[in-house]
Amino acid sequence: MIGAHLAILSLNLLGFAGLAIGTERYAPQLVGFKPAKPERKASWIMGWLLLALALALATQRMETAVVGIVVWLGWLSLTGVSLVFLMPELPWQKAARSAPRRAPRGKAASNDNAPVRKPRRWIGLSLLAATAVVSIASLLRTETMPLSREDTIEGTVGPWSFTLAEIDRDPPEVMHLDVPLKAYRIRFCETCDLEILRAYLKVNKPRALRASGMAFGGNSWDRDVEIQLPANLTAESELWLTVVGKDGSVHRASWPMSEVSPATVRWFEQQEKTR
Amino acid sequence: MKPLRYTLRCALAGALLGGIAVPAFAHEPVLKCVLLDADTVRCRGGYAEGEAAPGGTIEVIAYSGQTVFSGKLDKGSILTFQRPATGYYVLFNEGPGSQAIVEHDEIGPPRANDRARWMRSRR
């Protein structure tokens, strides 16, 4: 996950640099000389392509495409601001910086050079540090994608292979009417996916095909579902997957809840004790 | 350079809007049933986010596969029926793949912390 963030950051940085080199005004500031027009245009196109690549990477690698876009925009802002502060610090800019920007205007100008008051500077610095701490903490807290975790279940149902996992490893979410719900994600192998009409999930063995539970939904390879959990769930309760193929065949597989959702089982045991 | 820049801008806007249009979780049906007394079961349906479900279809199906009772949720999303003598389950069916199921062994008298009126009053 951190690798993906670093990749997005560096692609954004390179993309912005490409855009800057593409302009007549900023190219000399960034690389120290003015490239020829076709080179600038090439660099400008390259910059946009790199930004697009970073966006594509973000939408693919983050939890969902929307999270990817937000992450991309976030890194885009950070990159932009850091370039603003980085460009004047480049070694070939030093000469330009040492020259006074304006001719001194006598006594009235001395006011501008008064040092910034200390408390204000400390407030600024601590705000900056707090921002850094918060962003690092939230970066460390990001969960890996459910199907890339080590607790996923891999198996086959009928002729089709799949990977199944709960979307988060937390206890169930208690919703309307105090009903606990849990979300799961499944991904079938690419050729299997095309042969599958629908997949359903429920706790306890389905007593009829039309009572097989909630259907997985979603229009990419990953299909998600959120199911109601029975009030008397125990570690021995079973999670049942029903898969219906486009040829009409029905296949089922099941696991004990303690294997798929250990935190949920613990939560139910706790509920039973406090009852 | 102008038209190219315009195309790129449109493509970027399109990518952003297209990315946002991925499906969120649909609202899942939920069902809760309690024993009003030894012979009467009362169920209340709804959706996970808290919406009511008046008019929702409820079927009570015996383990033999026979439908012993079917009805619709009233204005308060509630339905009351006679407790079947054999094993059964209650199916709140919203359509293919959108359902909530409660088995008879989950249905008991309201718990001490179940204070809601629909679980207690006989009306």
Side-chain angles (χ1 to χ4, degrees):
Chain A
M1 188 52 80
I2 288 177
H5 280 283
L6 283 178
I8 295 164
L9 170 68
S10 37
L11 280 175
N12 276 340
L13 198 63
L14 286 174
F16 267 150
L19 288 186
I21 296 169
T23 59
E24 215 168 320
R25 185 170 167 194
Y26 298 110
Q29 293 185 22
L30 198 63
V31 288
F33 65 96
K34 195 155 91 180
K37 200 173 176 191
E39 283 168 20
R40 284 209 309 272
K41 189 167 182 180
S43 149
W44 179 77
I45 291 172
M46 201 61 202
W48 275 113
L49 284 179
L50 286 170
L51 290 183
L53 188 66
L55 176 62
L57 186 76
T59 52
Q60 287 301 310
R61 291 293 304 276
M62 294 298 135
E63 298 235 332
T64 64
V66 183
V67 174
I69 291 171
V70 174
V71 166
W72 177 70
L73 285 173
W75 282 124
L76 211 57
S77 323
L78 282 180
T79 326
V81 172
S82 54
L83 268 180
V84 164
F85 288 102
L86 189 75
M87 277 169 66
E89 297 298 327
L90 294 173
W92 45 89
Q93 300 267 340
K94 287 278 194 278
R97 268 189 345 133
S98 60
R101 213 163 262 177
R102 285 186 204 155
R105 281 189 294 160
K107 271 191 179 170
S110 65
N111 217 12
D112 291 345
N113 295 333
V116 183
R117 272 202 232 127
K118 276 219 164 145
R120 202 188 284 177
R121 178 192 266 184
W122 279 113
I123 292 171
L125 277 177
S126 48
L127 277 178
L128 204 66
T131 316
V133 167
V134 168
S135 12
I136 289 169
S138 52
L139 196 66
L140 290 176
R141 275 192 48 198
T142 21
E143 281 232 26
T144 45
M145 287 171 75
L147 295 183
S148 325
R149 287 196 315 248
E150 68 280 5
D151 67 323
T152 55
I153 287 179
E154 299 196 9
T156 52
V157 54
W160 305 302
S161 62
F162 64 88
T163 317
L164 174 83
E166 47 181 359
I167 287 184
D168 61 60
R169 286 182 279 189
D170 302 334
E173 217 181 342
V174 177
M175 304 292 278
H176 184 45
L177 304 175
D178 293 333
V179 169
L181 278 97
K182 194 86 188 109
Y184 294 87
R185 177 169 293 176
I186 199 168
R187 188 188 183 102
F188 291 100
C189 82
E190 293 198 4
T191 47
C192 315
D193 198 276
L194 303 171
E195 294 168 14
I196 288 164
L197 184 65
R198 258 200 161 132
Y200 305 87
L201 197 70
K202 99 181 264 294
V203 177
N204 294 332
K205 188 176 181 178
R207 298 196 178 266
L209 181 58
R210 68 186 204 92
S212 294
M214 292 288 290
F216 282 92
N219 50 14
S220 66
W221 299 107
D222 292 345
R223 305 179 188 216
D224 291 351
V225 75
E226 196 167 7
I227 57 170
Q228 169 171 347
L229 301 176
N232 55 358
L233 188 142
T234 62
E236 286 79 44
S237 301
E238 285 175 327
L239 186 69
W240 280 78
L241 170 71
T242 306
V243 186
V244 180
K246 284 181 179 157
D247 57 358
S249 60
V250 177
H251 302 280
R252 287 196 166 123
S254 69
W255 309 265
M257 280 305 280
S258 53
E259 193 181 321
V260 194
S261 302
T264 299
V265 171
R266 278 197 297 277
W267 182 83
F268 271 96
E269 283 164 359
Q270 200 64 39
Q271 295 292 106
E272 204 56 37
K273 267 184 222 155
T274 55
R275 213 167 108 186
Chain B
M1 205 120 154
K2 267 270 163 63
L4 179 61
R5 189 172 289 191
Y6 180 74
T7 326
L8 274 175
R9 245 175 232 170
C10 287
L12 185 65
L16 280 176
L17 289 176
I20 288 162
V22 294
F25 273 88
H27 56 186
E28 285 75 19
V30 291
L31 182 68
K32 181 151 184 164
C33 298
V34 290
L35 277 181
L36 275 193
D37 56 51
D39 304 316
T40 321
V41 183
R42 180 172 283 174
C43 292
R44 186 169 193 187
Y47 297 98
E49 301 295 335
E51 301 97 302
T57 314
I58 298 284
E59 282 172 79
V60 182
I61 303 168
Y63 282 173
S64 60
Q66 191 193 357
T67 303
V68 290
F69 176 84
S70 85
K72 293 205 180 291
L73 294 172
D74 68 6
K75 273 187 284 179
S77 307
I78 293 166
L79 186 70
T80 313
F81 57 89
Q82 278 287 304
R83 181 186 185 184
T86 57
Y88 65 97
Y89 61 97
V90 187
L91 173 66
F92 171 26
N93 213 354
E94 264 282 291
S98 180
Q99 54 187 220
I101 296 165
V102 172
E103 300 258 348
H104 76 102
D105 53 7
E106 293 175 49
I107 304 173
R111 295 175 181 186
N113 53 357
D114 285 335
R115 291 255 157 259
R117 201 193 227 174
W118 70 272
M119 297 185 196
R120 298 185 173 272
S121 75
R122 287 217 49 99
R123 244 196 315 188

